[in-house]
Amino acid sequence: MDRTQTAPAFLQEFFSKHLFVPLHGWAFVGALLGTLLVAGLLFFLLSALPPLARRRLMKTLAFVAGLFYAVEFFWPEKGNPLTGYLIPLGTFLRVMGCFAIGLGLISLCTVHGKAVGRRSEGWINSAAFFAAFFAIVVFGFWQQYGKQPVHPGAYTFAGGMFHILFIGMYNSLEPTMFSILAFFITSAAYRAFRVKSAEASLMLGAAFIVMLGQVPVGMILTSWIPPDSGFAFFRLEKLANWILTGVSSAAFRGILFGTVIGNLALSLRTWLSLEKGAYFDKPL
Amino acid sequence: MKHADPFMAVLLPLLSGLILVNILRARRGSDLFIRKIPGIDAIGEAVGRATEMGRPILFSIGLGGIDIVTLLAFEVVAHVTRLAARYRNRVIVPVVDPVAIPVLEEIEREAFASEHRPEGFNADDIRFLSDSQFAYAAGVVGIMHREQVATNFFFGIFAAESLILAETGQHVGAVQVAGTPSALQVPFFIVTCDYTVIGEEYYATTAYISREPVLLGSLVGQDWGKLVLLVLAVVGTLLTTLGAALPTLKPVADVFVKWIGGG
Amino acid sequence: MKHAELIATWTGAVCTLAILSVLYRENRFYRFFEHVFIGLAAGYGLFVAWRDMLWGEWWKPLAHEGKWYLIIPALVALLYYTVYSKKHAWMSRVLIVTLFGLGAGMAFQGFAAQAGPQISSSFKPLWGNGLTPMQILNNLVFMITLVCVLTYFFFAFKQDRALVRQPAKVGRWLLMIAFGATFGSTVMARFSLFIDRMQFLLGEWLHLLK
Amino acid sequence: MLEWTIRLQTIDRRIIYGLVIGLIVLALLWDFPLPQAVSPEAQSLYETIESLPKNKLVVIAADWGAATRGECAPLTAAVVTHLFRNKRPFAIIGFAAQGPELTTAIVQKQAKEFGAKYGKDWCNWGYKVSIDSTLLSLAESIRRTIPQDVEGTKLDDVPLMKRVKGIDDVGLLVEFTGSGTLEAFLRRLPRSVKIAQGCTAVVGPEQYPYIDSGQLCGLLVGMKGAAEYEHLLGIRAQGTAAMRPQSLAHLLIIVLIILGNLGMYAAAKQGRDLKRKGEAAT
């Protein structure tokens, strides 16, 4: 179970002994420069590829990438040649994911930068965006790496500002946005739950029973049915529970069986480059 | 489950085989039927409505990014954008995952170009809002109000924010079409949207729109796959019942259930 | 910063009211705090990505422990940014298609983890000793629901056959019951959130609650 | 009259929102009594703790964070009150990053009231990353899995842990969660450890089958669960206080649905009447 107990994967020991070795001093700088050089070379080669080869390259990469997880899964746990690579690959992907944040920041800064630059309508809001963004970044790093408070529980200036920005503002904005659902669920129920058709009525009926079965006020309605009699099933809380655990869970299982197969089919098509559509058929 | 147990080692290749065989069959050109899915039929009509009103379209791909479920949403974005480009309208796509930005930019640019209106593409319509669920929701609510969108599409993975988005759409009077495999959010889309594509219907969207043989074949394969699961459930239930009723049959039932439960 | 807690409570109250104001209608107050929210989320995301991820898993091993090869994920990630060059934009696609491939490969494991336990736990006996009539009824309802709902999701089998059409119709009805029940059972959770907010406003901020 | 009834199908949403806010503020400020039924699942958790042998340890698994605090905090508080009141020592463990920290805050607040001490009456094992592997090794050896508590004290030096040798000395584990983490506990822990759960209303329905199968010895679902448990303990805390606005909110939705349908019915009736009149005139 422990990751240290997993046997090294195929060639993993070789890599960690001979290739991916921590280096220091000039060797480190040399390795970095070497990697940059190789990367530059690869980039040059890549940009020289003719369109047909580009497509073939993509198909191959997608296939190999998918093959990795497929083989890892179908090969038995004992002596699995790939399991050892799961953790390094996970780290690799997460680090890559972090570097993609820049794409989002560029997008946000272009849109809001334009608004502030042109003083277009609502530019004040865009300025507020920048102020909030820089404030939490600056105070975040400052309180993390700057002077620490003398007494536990006390705040430095940066710590206090971060507290105001994060606990005061962010931690209020987020749950309040979430809590708007209480209003929207009410107005949606009022507007949509009308006895118009068989389907709408069934949905309304089930929602009605479950809602009543959840609060004391609703339970009183049927509390005259003795809980140990044969009719106890019709007590609202029991009936509500039965709909949820009997019908509802079976229906959701049916949906799940459908979606997992749909997902499997879409994955197979993507993996084998059989998928048709805008992103795959576009000329390169 | 970390690795395939004996049952999965049989079931998964079987299901994959059924899907692939049917894709090959469809490629050779057998005539394939597909039932009506009203939610997908409504896409064109919803785009048309926005154009009549002269207001933009908003397309939310949910909380996903570069994953298989959202991949399908990208295809629907492409379809909607092509229709919108034809009618000289535009499609605003707010996103959660920054990696989706390059994908969507290419898709929209391509869609406008294919309708001979490359100048209609505006990179600012692909809007990264936030990778935080509710900051994203707050941003989409703002966009819906300020742009007075006439049509909303919700295709992809959704969580609790589904109702925030779709109910706001109701408030601004938009026509709404939703599709999601996130089963728990379907009820909220049903009560707020004009059309809702439920569960696996979502995975049928591209096949339904494009009538591409590969996709239609895959859909037939999926049906066979569901049939396999259905038969498994019925046979398993019957065996369990027989095992419970007749003690002599119990060992047989137990072996079967144990095999399926992962040995 | 002596009064950090107090200021945090007051700014928290202002932020809460600003977001709630959108219920009346979209207004300047909401718009301003919507942008503040997005700014804070972006900044906090950047800060957390560094503190919880990049610092420990990337920068420290790279710069302090000499693990030079960690420069590779950063270089690969640069391919994302080719999207800003018309000529090289297609390279971002090489990366993204590979990621889709990885996602596709995970589908097998995902299928097994999601559907595996659900298949075997669907076998519920419909008869036998020790089963109460209620349990038998429950198991029967379960089976019928599962079969009908699965039938509803058949796309390519022609529905002009009663064998498919009738169960599919019942399946859709059962789905509606399930959706109604889910809706009803979510109400309480959603109100819990708002009650929590009101307890903050009335209690922590205005000190009106005991 | 009919005109008025017809209007009921198009009540402005701002009026509805005003009613929601008004009712909830009213119910929070005005402490009116409400009848409280107790579900058998809550009753059974209460009885399990009552009948727990004195030398057994209780483990609280805090698998929740700020997002589900609204429901998980009152649930945790109610069970902690019961443990303190009966002087049952307990340990906190968490498989969600913020869980143990948030739970500690609840426990510390109550410890003052009950005069309980850290180390003697409770201790904190802290946040653990991988749930399956942690539980698996916990079942083999508590000390090897958790060498020290969050304060860095060796487990052998924590007074209450002295009596606890291994997993057999754990009598009950209560998990609090907003997600589907229960199965790992059922899979990895020996049957000698009784398992109970407090969960949010959203995941509640998925947990009932485990009550039927006897794998769970008790279940508290959402605010309702907290209110039920407080009722059993004879206290009125956060759960009971939240049931007032919850009840009114549910009632409001039900009344609104009925009004909407009345309005629709009236409109349909008017339509029919007009049609009939029109036919008569021609």
Side-chain angles (χ1 to χ4, degrees):
Chain A
M1 284 292 124
D2 201 303
R3 81 171 71 154
T4 48
Q5 284 170 8
T6 324
F10 179 63
L11 284 184
Q12 199 174 13
E13 243 170 310
F14 172 82
F15 282 140
S16 62
K17 268 195 194 133
H18 301 285
L19 187 56
F20 297 125
V21 201
L23 297 172
H24 298 278
W26 285 109
F28 176 74
V29 177
L32 275 193
L33 288 177
T35 318
L36 282 175
L37 199 71
V38 173
L41 212 67
L42 278 175
F43 186 82
F44 176 75
L45 279 176
L46 212 56
S47 48
L49 275 184
L52 204 68
R54 292 174 186 179
R55 174 156 299 174
R56 206 163 287 158
L57 174 76
M58 282 186 213
K59 280 187 180 180
T60 317
L61 280 174
F63 180 74
V64 171
L67 195 67
F68 171 81
Y69 279 114
V71 171
E72 198 278 329
F73 175 68
F74 281 110
W75 201 294
E77 191 160 349
K78 216 174 158 204
N80 192 305
L82 295 176
T83 305
Y85 288 121
L86 282 183
I87 290 168
L89 180 66
T91 313
F92 189 101
L93 291 174
R94 267 177 296 152
V95 169
M96 255 175 64
C98 286
F99 280 101
I101 292 179
L103 289 170
L105 295 181
I106 292 175
S107 169
L108 279 170
C109 292
T110 344
V111 171
H112 294 294
K114 264 187 217 162
V116 174
R118 288 183 198 149
R119 295 284 190 281
S120 52
E121 202 200 326
W123 70 273
I124 280 285
N125 298 317
S126 296
F129 159 81
F130 281 115
F133 173 76
F134 286 115
I136 200 161
V137 170
V138 167
F139 290 116
F141 282 100
W142 187 356
Q143 58 95 31
Q144 183 79 15
Y145 297 106
K147 207 172 67 187
Q148 294 303 308
V150 195
H151 309 289
Y155 293 102
T156 56
F157 174 68
M161 287 306 287
F162 186 73
H163 182 82
I164 292 167
L165 289 167
F166 181 65
I167 301 289
M169 301 181 80
Y170 188 75
N171 258 4
S172 293
L173 290 164
E174 186 165 54
T176 309
M177 199 64 216
F178 198 177
S179 77
I180 287 221
L181 281 171
F183 297 90
F184 285 3
I185 210 169
T186 312
S187 53
Y190 164 70
R191 196 186 48 245
F193 285 158
R194 304 272 161 94
V195 190
K196 274 184 202 152
S197 61
E199 282 181 13
S201 314
L202 282 170
M203 197 168 165
L204 159 70
F208 220 78
I209 293 171
V210 172
M211 274 192 277
L212 279 173
Q214 283 197 322
V215 283
V217 182
M219 294 181 213
I220 299 171
L221 292 176
T222 51
S223 59
W224 49 272
I225 303 175
D228 39 13
S229 73
F231 297 100
F233 173 75
F234 293 102
R235 283 170 72 105
L236 268 171
E237 68 271 22
K238 296 261 179 208
L239 200 57
N241 206 358
W242 182 79
I243 295 178
L244 282 169
T245 55
V247 181
S248 191
S249 72
F252 278 108
R253 192 166 298 187
I255 299 180
L256 178 94
F257 285 169
T259 48
V260 287
I261 288 188
N263 202 33
L264 182 70
L266 180 54
S267 299
L268 280 171
R269 298 198 308 258
T270 311
W271 182 34
L272 304 175
S273 294
L274 290 168
E275 183 65 7
K276 295 277 167 187
Y279 201 63
F280 290 90
D281 286 350
K282 195 197 134 179
L284 291 161
Chain B
M1 196 179 298
K2 281 186 170 162
H3 295 275
D5 55 37
F7 170 60
M8 281 299 160
V10 175
L11 182 68
L12 278 169
L14 173 71
L15 295 178
S16 309
L18 282 174
I19 294 165
L20 292 178
V21 163
N22 277 296
I23 289 180
L24 291 180
R25 261 186 49 198
R27 268 183 161 179
R28 283 206 211 105
S30 41
D31 187 28
L32 294 171
F33 164 85
I34 175 169
R35 79 156 157 86
K36 253 185 109 56
I37 304 175
I40 307 175
D41 282 331
I43 291 177
E45 181 195 318
V47 174
R49 235 287 294 245
T51 312
E52 275 167 28
M53 303 185 67
R55 280 154 42 184
I57 297 161
L58 183 134
F59 197 123
S60 169
I61 56 165
L63 300 179
I66 302 302
D67 52 69
I68 293 296
V69 178
T70 313
L71 171 62
L72 202 129
F74 291 145
E75 296 304 330
V76 187
V77 173
H79 177 67
V80 167
T81 313
R82 272 195 300 268
L83 288 178
R86 202 172 297 162
Y87 297 140
R88 309 197 159 256
N89 204 332
R90 66 195 180 105
V91 184
I92 304 167
V93 190
V95 295
V96 166
D97 185 345
V99 184
I101 302 170
V103 182
L104 285 164
E105 279 195 10
E106 279 205 59
I107 284 178
E108 280 218 359
R109 186 180 290 129
E110 188 57 27
F112 275 97
S114 73
E115 296 296 326
H116 313 291
R117 279 198 64 225
E119 76 289 352
F121 170 71
N122 179 0
D124 288 351
D125 281 341
I126 315 293
R127 293 190 196 165
F128 171 77
L129 292 176
S130 177
D131 51 7
S132 136
Q133 182 187 4
F134 291 104
Y136 173 77
V140 178
V141 168
I143 293 177
M144 280 185 193
H145 280 291
R146 288 191 288 276
E147 301 272 0
Q148 284 293 309
V149 294
T151 299
N152 285 327
F153 290 99
F154 306 106
F155 275 80
I157 301 167
F158 288 88
E161 79 289 349
S162 65
L163 183 64
I164 300 184
L165 308 183
E167 182 69 9
T168 305
Q170 272 283 344
H171 296 170
V172 300
V175 174
Q176 312 197 87
V177 184
T180 180
S182 321
L184 281 177
Q185 303 309 323
V186 173
F188 305 109
F189 281 135
I190 290 185
V191 297
T192 46
C193 294
D194 301 85
Y195 296 95
T196 309
V197 173
I198 302 167
E200 202 198 343
E201 289 177 347
Y202 174 80
Y203 290 97
T205 314
T206 44
Y208 198 87
I209 293 172
S210 66
R211 305 276 158 172
E212 190 69 52
V214 168
L215 304 182
L216 289 175
S218 162
L219 217 50
V220 178
Q222 282 161 246
D223 270 9
W224 285 104
K226 275 181 301 250
L227 198 62
V228 168
L229 290 188
L230 202 152
V231 168
L232 261 177
V234 172
V235 169
T237 304
L238 289 179
L239 267 176
T240 319
T241 307
L242 282 176
L246 304 168
T248 41
L249 274 175
K250 198 161 176 5
V252 184
D254 284 351
V255 167
F256 181 73
V257 174
K258 206 175 157 205
W259 178 60
I260 287 181
Chain C
M1 283 302 270
K2 263 195 210 155
H3 304 296
E5 306 261 359
L6 186 71
I7 302 173
T9 307
W10 277 79
T11 46
V14 173
C15 290
T16 306
L17 293 173
I19 295 290
L20 288 179
S21 76
V22 79
L23 290 171
Y24 183 69
R25 68 154 190 239
E26 205 260 356
N27 59 76
R28 279 186 203 165
F29 193 34
Y30 172 81
R31 212 173 299 165
F32 184 82
F33 279 94
E34 170 204 328
H35 285 79
V36 168
F37 189 10
I38 290 175
L40 287 174
Y44 186 66
L46 188 67
F47 169 64
V48 165
W50 176 264
R51 186 190 65 186
D52 294 355
M53 180 65 215
L54 286 179
W55 161 251
E57 293 203 42
W58 184 70
W59 181 251
K60 205 168 92 180
L62 174 69
H64 297 267
E65 294 162 18
K67 295 188 178 165
W68 56 273
Y69 46 86
L70 280 170
I71 193 76
I72 300 172
L75 289 175
V76 176
L78 282 182
L79 282 182
Y80 283 133
Y81 296 85
T82 55
V83 73
Y84 296 109
S85 137
K86 244 194 181 142
K87 195 179 151 213
H88 296 110
W90 70 273
M91 288 187 195
S92 69
R93 194 194 278 238
V94 173
L95 183 56
I96 286 163
V97 167
T98 311
L99 289 178
F100 275 129
L102 280 175
M106 280 186 236
F108 296 108
Q109 201 262 346
F111 182 97
Q114 267 193 296
Q118 305 262 359
I119 297 175
S120 55
S121 68
S122 300
F123 306 158
K124 297 171 187 279
L126 303 175
W127 193 254
N129 303 343
L131 281 181
T132 62
M134 196 61 215
Q135 277 170 321
I136 291 176
L137 178 75
N138 279 346
N139 292 351
L140 199 64
V141 168
F142 184 92
M143 194 65 224
I144 293 172
T145 310
L146 184 63
V147 170
C148 289
V149 168
L150 267 177
T151 317
Y152 169 74
F153 285 112
F154 282 135
F155 298 110
F157 297 151
K158 288 208 167 119
Q159 301 219 343
D160 49 5
R161 285 183 220 151
L163 192 66
V164 177
R165 200 177 58 226
Q166 292 307 332
K169 202 165 153 196
V170 176
R172 197 171 157 88
W173 287 349
L174 289 163
L175 276 174
M176 290 303 146
I177 294 180
F179 291 145
T182 310
F183 189 101
S185 73
T186 317
V187 171
M188 180 173 267
R190 300 304 182 235
F191 270 95
S192 297
L193 298 164
F194 181 63
I195 293 168
D196 189 52
R197 280 287 87 196
M198 285 316 277
Q199 280 171 335
F200 166 75
L201 284 182
L202 297 175
E204 274 177 60
W205 183 46
L206 297 174
H207 301 287
L208 288 173
L209 297 181
K210 275 168 277 174
Chain D
M1 186 59 205
L2 194 66
E3 289 298 319
W4 266 96
T5 325
I6 290 172
R7 275 196 211 168
L8 288 176
Q9 64 171 342
T10 50
I11 303 176
D12 189 81
R13 68 167 197 276
R14 291 180 187 90
I15 297 175
I16 295 177
Y17 296 163
L19 283 172
V20 170
I21 294 182
L23 278 180
I24 284 177
V25 170
L26 179 80
L28 282 173
L29 295 176
W30 176 34
D31 186 359
F32 59 88
L34 264 181
Q36 180 65 55
V38 175
S39 64
E41 300 86 34
Q43 182 81 37
S44 119
L45 173 60
Y46 180 82
E47 277 159 18
T48 309
I49 294 183
E50 281 292 308
S51 62
L52 202 68
K54 268 221 148 54
N55 54 356
K56 295 264 180 179
L57 179 79
V58 177
V59 176
I60 290 184
D63 304 338
W64 50 281
T68 52
R69 191 183 54 197
E71 289 172 276
C72 289
L75 284 169
T76 308
V79 172
V80 165
T81 307
H82 196 190
L83 294 174
F84 272 147
R85 187 188 281 179
N86 286 20
K87 299 211 182 326
R88 292 281 178 276
F90 61 89
I92 302 165
I93 191 169
F95 298 99
Q98 294 172 298
E101 216 174 300
L102 292 165
T103 305
T104 307
I106 296 168
V107 173
Q108 274 168 344
K109 211 168 146 197
Q110 295 203 12
K112 276 184 203 151
E113 279 171 47
F114 287 96
K117 285 209 173 59
Y118 184 84
K120 191 172 137 284
D121 300 289
W122 94 91
C123 68
N124 186 352
W125 292 348
Y127 163 59
K128 298 282 169 279
V129 184
S130 138
I131 183 164
D132 261 298
S133 53
T134 306
L135 288 174
L136 197 74
S137 67
L138 194 74
E140 276 168 28
S141 159
I142 295 184
R143 279 181 176 63
R144 232 179 300 145
T145 320
I146 299 148
Q148 53 190 25
D149 71 356
V150 278
E151 302 191 343
T153 318
K154 270 180 68 183
L155 229 49
D156 285 316
D157 299 334
V158 178
L160 84 96
M161 288 305 297
K162 282 192 179 129
R163 290 174 283 161
V164 181
K165 298 277 174 286
I167 196 77
D168 293 337
D169 294 316
V170 176
L172 172 71
L173 181 139
V174 193
E175 195 211 11
F176 296 96
T177 185
S179 52
T181 34
L182 179 67
E183 286 205 3
F185 292 93
L186 300 177
R187 208 163 40 223
R188 300 298 181 200
L189 291 181
R191 290 304 291 263
S192 64
V193 181
K194 288 186 177 157
I195 297 171
Q197 197 188 39
C199 64
T200 56
V202 175
V203 294
E206 292 164 31
Q207 318 297 340
Y208 281 102
Y210 299 110
I211 284 280
D212 291 339
S213 62
Q215 287 164 288
L216 272 182
C217 72
L219 178 65
L220 304 175
V221 181
M223 275 309 190
K224 183 177 79 152
E228 287 173 351
Y229 212 79
E230 287 166 12
H231 182 73
L232 284 167
L233 293 169
I235 56 171
R236 296 167 67 80
Q238 231 187 322
T240 317
M243 268 340 257
R244 282 179 273 129
Q246 282 286 1
S247 290
L248 289 191
H250 278 69
L251 269 188
L252 174 69
I253 296 184
I254 284 163
V255 169
L256 282 172
I257 294 175
I258 294 173
L259 290 182
N261 278 290
L262 272 180
M264 189 185 74
Y265 177 77
K269 188 166 182 292
Q270 192 189 43
R272 276 198 305 273
D273 289 351
L274 284 178
K275 207 173 153 200
R276 206 173 301 142
K277 267 185 205 155
E279 275 165 7
T282 44

